Amino acid sequence: MNDEGKRLDGKVAAEEVVAKVKAETEKLTAESGITPGLAVIIVGEDPASQVYVASKGRKAKECGFHSVQITLSADTPEAEVLGHVQSLNDDPSVHGILVQLPLPGHIDENKVIQTISPDKDVDGFHYINVGKLGTGDLSNAFVPCTPAGSMILLRKALGDDLSGLNAVVIGRSNIVGKPMANLLLAANATVTIAHSRTKNLQDIASQADILVAAVGRPEMVKEDWVKPGATVIDVGINRVDAPERGEGKTRLTGDVDYEGALENAAHATPVPGGVGPMTIALLMANTLTAASRVAGRELPKF
Ligand code: GUN
């Protein structure tokens, strides 16, 4: 189907964000002598995590940042990971710290996250930043990158004020579902959080003017789940078999049947090329924000 006019293009929007980060970074460095620094810690050899971390490093360099990657083996003791986080907390050349999740089972993920200085928590996972978002103190928070990027795409479709609109978020994770619900609420939407234990999920979804799918179930949201005229944001990234491409081949797909959803939706994000590129762009934006705060400068708006 030709999705022209309905597709919320994350590649284009992410390029716009990154162009602004680059321009603002040049100004920051020229006027205050500060170069934003992003440190990423990866523990173990998960192939998907390795790909994500490598692309974060590349994008950071493209933005003119100081980029650090700390690569640790899967059997690294928790205390050693915490020690690296502490060193980065104390390092003035690093403004943003990201520990790639998931971590190996013997490491307490929450303990690691809560050890990151809230001022360098560019993932927005520390209790302090979760609390700022939850109380609507958005300008002082770090907002998690995937929901923040999703909101930019949503604003392109619907503008800044979502008053009177029903938003349904399917998924209640700390990384996406909960922060997304808080952002929608801050933009005046009427918000329902649904999840795997929700009864009549389809009924609830089909009342949404804004439908956000973040459950990790390939193409769960079908055409008849989508209210006519709705805006659909697909946060899912699922790798599925694609025998039509040849033996053993796979493809990426979202939590939404995109073609089906477009029969009803006014706007929808594709996978790939929707929310995915926004996540990394917003990580760059958050790192610039962290450095701008240290420099005592006005914060760029994204
Ligand atoms: N793993 C999958 N998504 C994320 C994310 O947004 N941040 C971190 N740190 N790890 C992830």
Side-chain angles (χ1 to χ4, degrees):
M1 181 204 252
N2 181 4
D3 60 359
E4 207 66 41
K6 290 191 166 188
R7 181 180 69 240
L8 288 174
D9 191 326
K11 273 194 245 170
V12 170
E15 277 166 19
E16 289 167 9
V17 170
V18 168
K20 183 158 184 190
V21 170
K22 282 186 198 169
E24 293 290 333
T25 297
E26 269 182 37
K27 273 198 257 173
L28 173 69
T29 305
E31 292 167 18
S32 71
I34 290 180
T35 299
L38 174 63
V40 177
I41 299 180
I42 177 168
V43 188
E45 283 86 39
D46 177 61
S49 290
Q50 284 177 330
V51 170
Y52 290 139
V53 165
S55 69
K56 286 166 186 171
R58 268 198 308 275
K59 194 61 80 177
K61 285 184 193 126
E62 186 189 327
C63 288
F65 294 178
H66 166 58
S67 170
V68 181
Q69 182 177 325
I70 297 178
T71 307
L72 302 172
S73 63
D75 58 359
T76 305
E78 181 182 274
E80 198 177 318
V81 177
L82 295 174
H84 282 287
V85 172
Q86 292 286 10
S87 305
L88 294 169
N89 282 344
D90 296 338
D91 182 344
S93 74
V94 168
H95 303 93
I97 302 169
L98 180 145
V99 179
Q100 185 67 27
L101 304 178
L103 290 169
H106 66 282
I107 298 175
D108 180 342
E109 249 172 39
N110 193 43
K111 198 163 166 187
V112 173
I113 288 168
Q114 304 311 328
T115 301
I116 297 172
S117 163
D119 299 332
K120 297 189 177 187
D121 169 37
V122 283
D123 257 330
F125 295 164
H126 191 284
Y127 294 144
I128 294 270
N129 289 309
V130 174
K132 285 178 180 171
L133 173 58
T135 52
D137 187 11
L138 298 190
S139 53
N140 286 305
F142 284 112
V143 176
C145 303
T146 300
S150 299
M151 285 303 291
I152 290 178
L153 294 175
L154 206 50
R155 286 206 299 267
K156 281 190 183 284
L158 300 174
D160 292 346
D161 187 0
L162 307 178
S163 293
L165 298 177
N166 285 327
V168 173
V169 179
I170 311 178
R172 54 174 161 177
S173 71
N174 292 331
I175 295 184
V176 181
K178 287 178 202 163
M180 188 72 206
N182 271 324
L183 287 172
L184 289 161
L185 204 51
N188 301 322
T190 303
V191 182
T192 302
I193 304 179
H195 48 80
S196 56
R197 306 286 181 93
T198 298
K199 260 200 228 170
N200 304 329
L201 194 49
Q202 180 180 342
D203 285 351
I204 292 170
S206 61
Q207 289 168 40
D209 303 300
I210 297 163
L211 183 57
V212 181
V215 272
R217 291 238 216 127
E219 297 174 20
M220 181 181 81
V221 174
K222 310 280 185 213
E223 176 181 341
D224 54 359
W225 290 43
V226 178
K227 180 178 171 179
T231 298
V232 180
I233 305 287
D234 188 353
V235 182
I237 302 179
N238 309 290
R239 190 164 284 287
V240 296
D241 292 337
E244 72 280 6
R245 295 188 178 182
E247 204 186 309
K249 297 282 185 199
T250 61
R251 68 184 169 95
L252 289 180
T253 190
D255 293 347
V256 176
D257 166 11
Y258 181 66
E259 300 286 323
L262 282 183
E263 296 290 334
N264 285 330
H267 310 276
T269 61
V271 175
V275 172
M278 296 303 283
T279 297
I280 189 160
L282 269 291
L283 176 64
M284 303 303 128
N286 281 353
T287 304
L288 172 64
T289 295
S292 300
R293 285 188 185 136
V294 168
R297 289 164 64 96
E298 198 181 327
L299 304 182
K301 292 241 177 338
F302 292 96

